[in-house]
Amino acid sequence: MEQKRFHSVRLEGDKCRGCTNCLKRCPTEAIRVRGGRAHIIDERCIDCGECIRVCGYHAKVAVTDPLSSISGFKYKIALPAPSLYGQFQNLKSISQVLNGLKQMGFDDAFEVARGADVVSRAIRERLKNPDLPRPVISSACPAIVRLIQVRFPDLLDHIVDVRQPMEVAAMIAKREYARSHGVNENEIGCFFITPCPAKVTAIRRPIGHAKSSVDGAISVLEIYGLLSSQIRNAPVDISLETASDLGVGWARSGGECNAVSPENSMSVDGIENCIHVLEEIEDNRLKNLEFFEGAACTGGCVGGPLNFENNYVARSNVRRLASRDQNPELNVDNGMMTKYSLYDDMRILPNSAMKLDDDLMEAMRKMEKIDKIYKELPGFDCGSCGSPTCRTFAEDVVQGFATKMDCIHMMKEQLRVMAQQMVDLAKTTRE
């Protein structure tokens, strides 16, 4: 039996009121409402965090590591996502954030934006290969990669085999710190300051490689208050800012495209928008597109559900920090491209959660039943049955997870027929 997958996104059942907000917004139809409570289908969830955003009762939460978890390592390195810088208005220098993190208990702070520099260079090299399927799809957003696994498996070969910036940053940070301080890499813990739950899941359950180089993920919300107080007194030291402006720009939608810089590229943010474009790619309607950057969160990583600041304010803050021409070019030397494991060593496989059956003939029979039931349904997609659409409800009925009478419209029709039969029977009895 397959082990239950790790998911950062969890349901707190006692807070759920059985509304259909999350049901209607889940991009992989991974949520059902049964018995007045929402349930997350483990195999379909991609940890995008859409349900966290829309739940007015705060019944959906993201499980992250507490700040206290850094004490498990002798040496602790913070890996701030570039989106973290956007949380602070009137920030004079990124070095204030780096110094603030060290004042909080970390021994060092290594910019994930430096990892983004290296990843940008690696993708540029990959794009020189004319044999790669076009468009090449970014692997930076794990929610988008998992979305493709579930809904667009034919596009898996389009995903570039370059690891995420946080992974590359962790590898570089550990090696550089170990070398400069004369310590063992195994004593060093790297903790990503994450804007979203999808990155947490990517650390616990990596895509494209067996083990993550990152040792934990602490949410921006967890450290925001303490870090804000530290930043006020943190010194400015421009020499600490080693990432390029292009690497910092990865925090917002379009930043990766700017860094990778192919002529025919497209950046799309918001998971529903990404789905529409991926459908176009799957249908071969974007033949001239060279590179596709997709971000599940609106605005890019600055729009992650674990951030503190408003998405648009954060995006403006990052734009300001990334346009100072302080480090305009990628900060990557040739040696760095060969020193580290920048590329995936495992093939990304499709997620079969949406398969009706492993047996093709049985799957076809189920499809016929689904079509038949679907034609009987009103087509309102109201969610009252506990399934997101009438189509998924028909599938749930065929798979044995629901009955036709769970649809209130079919139940009303059935009651109407039964009432009419009783009237007719009464008339016959009197006659």
Side-chain angles (χ1 to χ4, degrees), residues 93 95-97 99-100 103 230-237 240:
S93 167
S95 65
Q96 291 174 279
V97 175
N99 280 321
Q103 291 172 6
Q230 298 297 329
I231 283 176
R232 295 191 193 103
N233 303 313
V236 173
D237 184 356
L240 296 177

Side-chain angles (χ1 to χ4, degrees), residues 340-398:
Y340 301 98
S341 303
L342 305 181
Y343 304 100
D344 289 335
D345 50 22
M346 294 171 61
R347 189 179 176 195
I348 301 176
L349 300 174
N351 180 337
S352 60
M354 287 192 166
K355 278 174 62 174
L356 292 175
D357 201 282
D358 290 331
D359 181 82
L360 180 59
M361 295 304 295
E362 182 61 24
M364 291 177 67
R365 281 192 287 270
K366 287 182 177 180
M367 181 63 75
E368 289 176 3
K369 291 179 183 177
I370 290 169
D371 290 338
K372 182 179 178 182
I373 294 172
Y374 180 64
K375 288 174 183 175
E376 299 172 10
L377 297 170
F380 296 151
D381 293 341
C382 62
S384 299
C385 60
S387 301
T389 65
C390 288
R391 183 80 192 179
T392 51
F393 174 68
E395 180 182 329
D396 288 347
V397 172
V398 171

